[in-house]
Amino acid sequence: MEIKCGGENEKEISYRCVQCGFSVTTLYIQYSPGNIRLMKCGNCKAVADEYIECELMILVIDLILHKIKAYRHLFYNRFSRETLHNEVLLWKLSMGFLILDAYQMLAVCTVQDERSLPASFASFLGLCGKVLMGVFFGNLMFLGVILFGTRRFLNAKIGDSRCKHILLSILVSSYFKIFVIAMMVWEFPSSVVFIIKMFVLSSNALALLVITDAVMIRCIWICFAAHAMKFLVTQGLGTYQKLVLW
């Protein structure tokens, strides 16, 4: 009978117990295809990661409910070291993040009744240029505040691999931005965008907590400062100003 241990072939990867966050070397033992036994954590004595046997939809629901064990499973037990060094994946996630951010900014400008279509193609290009500028510089400041706050207030070392891990966690934990796609089909008040931002902020804070093992209140303040700085930058660049071109 062949026995395989989950995580045994990648010893350099640190798996975590989703209950207490304690490091574990093995998540499960596979006796045969479809026949596995989940390992228990040596610290809390609970099953280290029950999400291994769960459907993907269960994980998605728990992520939406902001369960910390779902975030631990996602960032430590599902993402491998190859994932962290996958430049293509990071670029794809970054592009998706920026596109959703740009549409969110455009949605704020277009949900009001008095808005109309641009008077000319040049006016439309001018609006798109301002939005893209706000997206670029706003998110540049956002990421800078996240990295600075993580190093200064969470006492975390920021290396190349660590930066990629933090970037990946911020991008993935911003999955609530995908709900702005619904605004392409149905009309929503601008308050919906604010609610989405609050969910993104809380999800980012929880992801930062899982990655750094820091205090929750500090993670909340760092993410709040990053989102506030991003808002101020976009406001300063005139992204949310009432344009006469519309």
Side-chain angles (χ1 to χ4, degrees):
M1 178 176 60
E2 183 181 3
I3 299 178
K4 295 182 179 180
C5 298
E8 187 177 83
N9 295 327
E10 300 180 70
K11 294 181 179 180
E12 71 275 8
I13 299 177
S14 176
Y15 294 96
R16 295 292 183 93
C17 170
V18 298
Q19 305 294 339
C20 64
F22 192 76
S23 297
V24 295
T25 57
T26 305
L27 297 176
Y28 63 90
I29 296 179
Q30 180 177 345
Y31 297 100
S32 61
N35 182 18
I36 66 174
R37 178 170 66 90
L38 300 181
M39 303 301 293
K40 291 186 177 181
C41 173
N43 182 50
C44 65
K45 309 304 179 183
V47 173
D49 192 349
E50 69 268 22
Y51 286 105
I52 294 175
E53 293 185 326
C54 293
E55 297 290 337
L56 179 61
M57 186 55 63
I58 301 297
L59 175 62
V60 172
I61 293 174
D62 284 353
L63 287 172
I64 294 175
L65 294 176
H66 283 33
K67 291 187 177 181
I68 190 171
K69 61 182 183 179
Y71 282 76
R72 286 194 180 117
H73 166 79
L74 184 64
F75 295 129
Y76 284 109
N77 301 341
R78 181 171 288 266
F79 289 158
S80 63
R81 184 172 294 273
E82 286 73 18
T83 303
L84 297 179
H85 292 281
N86 191 335
E87 303 288 346
V88 177
L89 177 61
L90 287 176
W91 275 108
K92 287 181 178 179
L93 289 174
S94 299
M95 289 301 299
F97 178 89
L98 294 176
I99 290 173
L100 290 175
D101 218 20
Y103 180 77
Q104 178 178 290
M105 292 183 182
L106 282 174
V108 172
C109 295
T110 57
V111 290
Q112 300 182 21
D113 294 335
E114 67 268 23
R115 299 293 187 187
S116 58
L117 293 176
S120 64
F121 183 69
S123 301
F124 176 75
L125 289 180
L127 175 65
C128 291
K130 290 184 178 181
V131 170
L132 292 177
M133 187 179 298
V135 169
F136 177 77
F137 287 105
N139 284 289
L140 185 64
M141 292 300 300
F142 170 78
L143 184 59
V145 173
I146 289 289
L147 294 177
F148 173 78
T150 301
R151 181 174 182 177
R152 177 65 176 83
F153 299 105
L154 303 184
N155 298 322
K157 295 182 179 179
I158 304 297
D160 182 62
S161 178
R162 191 66 165 177
C163 283
K164 289 181 179 179
H165 204 177
I166 293 175
L167 175 60
L168 182 65
S169 66
I170 293 298
L171 293 175
V172 174
S173 63
S174 299
Y175 57 86
F176 272 101
K177 286 180 178 290
I178 201 171
F179 288 104
V180 302
I181 295 178
M183 302 181 73
M184 299 180 182
V185 183
W186 298 285
E187 293 185 3
F188 292 94
S190 57
S191 59
V192 174
V193 176
F194 175 77
I195 294 173
I196 292 175
K197 287 183 178 181
M198 290 298 100
F199 273 108
V200 172
L201 191 155
S202 60
S203 182
N204 291 159
L206 191 56
L208 194 61
L209 170 70
V210 170
I211 294 299
T212 60
D213 294 320
V215 181
M216 183 62 180
I217 189 64
R218 291 191 176 186
C219 296
I220 293 176
W221 276 113
I222 289 173
C223 291
F224 177 80
H227 282 273
M229 180 62 69
K230 177 180 175 180
F231 175 77
L232 292 175
V233 169
T234 53
Q235 282 285 78
L237 293 173
T239 305
Y240 290 109
Q241 290 180 355
K242 197 170 185 178
L243 304 175
V244 296
L245 299 175
W246 285 69

